[in-house]
Amino acid sequence: MATQLREPDRLSPADLVREDAVHRSVYTDPAIFDLEMERIFGRAWLYLGHRSEFKEAGDYVVRHMGKQAVILTLGKDGDVHAIFNRCTHRGATLCAFDKGSAPHGHQCPYHGWMFNADGSVRFVPYDKGYGERLDKGEMGIEQVRIEEYRGFLFGNLMGDAAPPLEHFLGHMKTSIDDLVDRSPTGELECGPYVLRHYYRANWKMTFENLNDTVHPGFAHAASVVSAKAVANEVGGPENIVPTIGMMMANGKPIQFFQDIDMVTAPGGHSYIGGHMGADYTPDTSDAYTASLIDYHGAEKAKEVLSVDRHLMLLYPSSFWHARYQTLRIMRPVRHDLTEMIGFVFRLNGAPEETYRNAIEYCTGANSAASPVISDDLEIYERCLLGNGFGEREWIPTSRGMDEDRERTNSHDRMPATSEGFIRNQFRAWADYMGQA
């Protein structure tokens, strides 16, 4: 059996990524995973939260940047600050919960040190015991650089050395615009419903799966049959809930996906054309369209409703679906363990059905109980197991290499059946990993 590459200081991405293939160790080697946490998740802009999650000063959420947990807190200055979830005294975790309110600061449960939203030291019990050996100014928690785009907050561990967020987003800003512009007030509200699941495989498996249009008819064949049976029993597709519609969409022939577009952009990002086909009830559709016209005007409203994209992948940490107001965070835990976290957004001012449909979609797309997700998770785990042995070390990524439809400075266009998005991800992977 081939040996794994375990010398990260001497690792060359050229040893692992070819134009049309990748070495299996990128999924199976813990040393490569550790280097990814440093060189990819330590450099890329990572989605952390939304402005609407913070109502009052002291409101906070805890998110992860690679292996590191950070606390985002709304300060009294009106800014959202991000600091590491670690007391500078003895290293204890400050916040044990995913969200909460700390209007008087974050207090360490070990010795009671308290920190402000910006990480500065607020209070040290019995500080005179340290004499002149304690400099509170030097004991503050380091802040993480954050930037905001249309209410969405991103963090970067490189601090001032990081490029601007908008440079990182590039063409993919249009997908975030698509989500925000669907609100008849221009405002979104992050809902309280959060769906989580784990799978026992590498984080990159999700990125390679969610824009893959060839696998659904095979991996999800059983759920397609079940969904069609349910649709027949309730009197046709017009009577089904969005989850059933999502399951049925996986049964479309490969030629359908060959005919729609995939778009890739520098940095490993991509999306494909929409194919879900779920509509609102006539009353909701009319009311929603009218509200968009009131806010945007007829021409802009028509433009907003004409955009149809399925799952924008913002490499390396998040997945966005504007049509269903959902956002998922991918959190790598180990080389063989990954957490997925799903959020639903309300379009403020839109009919309630738009929110209910979004909740249904997120449940079907990010619940461990989903018959679609369970298929994917088993496949991920099978891939990890299968790539752990045998003599075949290289995994082909060559589908669609000669089928590009358009190349521009900001993005490329190709058939949605292409593996071009995977090749694009590994170009970004090699670029990040090749920087010492």
Side-chain angles (χ1 to χ4, degrees), residues 156-169:
N156 194 300
L157 294 175
M158 291 181 67
D160 293 339
L165 172 63
E166 291 205 26
H167 175 78
F168 170 83
L169 296 175

Side-chain angles (χ1 to χ4, degrees), residues 108-120:
C108 178
Y110 195 6
H111 294 96
W113 284 42
M114 292 191 71
F115 301 88
N116 294 310
D118 63 1
S120 58

Side-chain angles (χ1 to χ4, degrees), residues 39-361:
R39 295 190 177 180
I40 300 179
F41 289 83
R43 289 191 173 113
W45 284 99
L46 308 176
Y47 173 72
L48 295 178
H50 188 263
R51 269 278 176 179
S52 64
E53 296 182 78
F54 309 93
K55 309 296 185 187
E56 304 288 342
D59 288 354
Y60 71 86
V61 298
V62 175
R63 300 283 149 78
H64 285 80
M65 302 181 73
K67 291 183 177 181
Q68 303 185 74
V70 296
I71 311 168
L72 280 77
T73 310
L74 180 62
K76 294 179 180 179
D77 57 3
D79 291 333
V80 176
H81 302 272
I83 60 174
F84 293 106
N85 191 12
R86 176 187 183 277
C87 179
T88 52
H89 177 214
R90 302 300 294 274
T93 297
L94 292 175
C95 296
F97 300 103
D98 293 330
K99 62 181 179 179
S101 179
H104 304 298
H106 298 288
Q107 184 169 40
C108 178
Y110 195 6
H111 294 96
W113 284 42
M114 292 191 71
F115 301 88
N116 294 310
D118 63 1
S120 58
V121 176
R122 183 184 182 91
F123 170 71
V124 175
Y126 191 57
D127 57 351
K128 66 180 182 180
Y130 295 93
E132 296 182 357
R133 298 177 182 274
L134 177 66
D135 184 340
K136 294 181 183 178
E138 292 184 353
M139 295 303 291
I141 303 172
E142 182 183 356
Q143 287 203 65
V144 174
R145 178 181 170 187
I146 59 173
E147 288 191 15
E148 181 175 343
Y149 183 76
R150 302 202 71 176
F152 295 96
L153 302 165
F154 294 79
N156 194 300
L157 294 175
M158 291 181 67
D160 293 339
L165 172 63
E166 291 205 26
H167 175 78
F168 170 83
L169 296 175
H171 176 70
M172 295 300 140
K173 288 189 298 184
T174 60
S175 284
I176 301 178
D177 293 338
D178 181 28
L179 172 54
V180 179
D181 289 345
R182 287 176 181 271
S183 168
T185 63
E187 295 181 353
L188 302 177
E189 183 79 20
C190 186
Y193 307 103
V194 179
L195 284 167
R196 300 171 180 269
H197 68 257
Y198 287 84
Y199 64 85
R200 294 184 293 265
N202 192 265
W203 64 273
K204 294 183 288 295
M205 295 303 302
T206 301
F207 271 93
E208 295 174 23
N209 181 73
L210 290 184
N211 272 178
D212 184 303
T213 61
V214 174
H215 86 278
F218 301 98
H220 304 311
S223 63
V224 171
V225 172
S226 299
K228 288 181 177 178
V230 170
N232 289 333
E233 287 185 13
V234 299
E238 66 275 7
N239 298 314
I240 62 175
V241 296
T243 304
I244 300 297
M246 177 183 68
M247 293 164 64
M248 291 177 63
N250 287 327
K252 292 177 179 177
I254 289 178
Q255 186 59 49
F256 171 86
F257 295 106
Q258 175 72 14
D259 292 338
I260 65 176
D261 284 340
M262 170 185 292
V263 173
T264 65
H269 316 314
S270 63
Y271 61 80
I272 60 175
H275 62 91
M276 305 291 286
D279 295 318
Y280 301 125
T281 59
D283 287 347
T284 293
S285 183
D286 291 345
Y288 179 44
T289 301
S291 66
L292 282 180
I293 292 173
D294 286 343
Y295 181 70
H296 287 300
E299 185 175 344
K300 176 66 174 179
K302 182 179 179 180
E303 178 186 332
V304 169
L305 293 173
S306 70
V307 178
D308 191 11
R309 297 177 180 178
H310 179 74
L311 277 176
M312 184 259 283
L313 313 186
L314 197 59
Y315 191 85
S317 73
S318 56
F319 314 91
W320 307 60
H321 202 314
R323 170 63 179 81
Y324 284 101
Q325 303 132 240
T326 57
L327 193 161
R328 285 178 266 175
I329 295 176
M330 184 283 306
R331 180 172 82 91
V333 181
R334 300 191 308 259
H335 77 284
D336 59 355
L337 184 65
T338 306
E339 181 183 24
M340 295 292 296
I341 310 165
F343 301 86
V344 181
F345 289 84
R346 181 188 296 275
L347 305 176
N348 289 354
E352 186 64 20
E353 186 184 350
T354 63
Y355 186 50
R356 291 201 305 270
N357 279 12
I359 293 173
E360 280 231 17
Y361 172 79

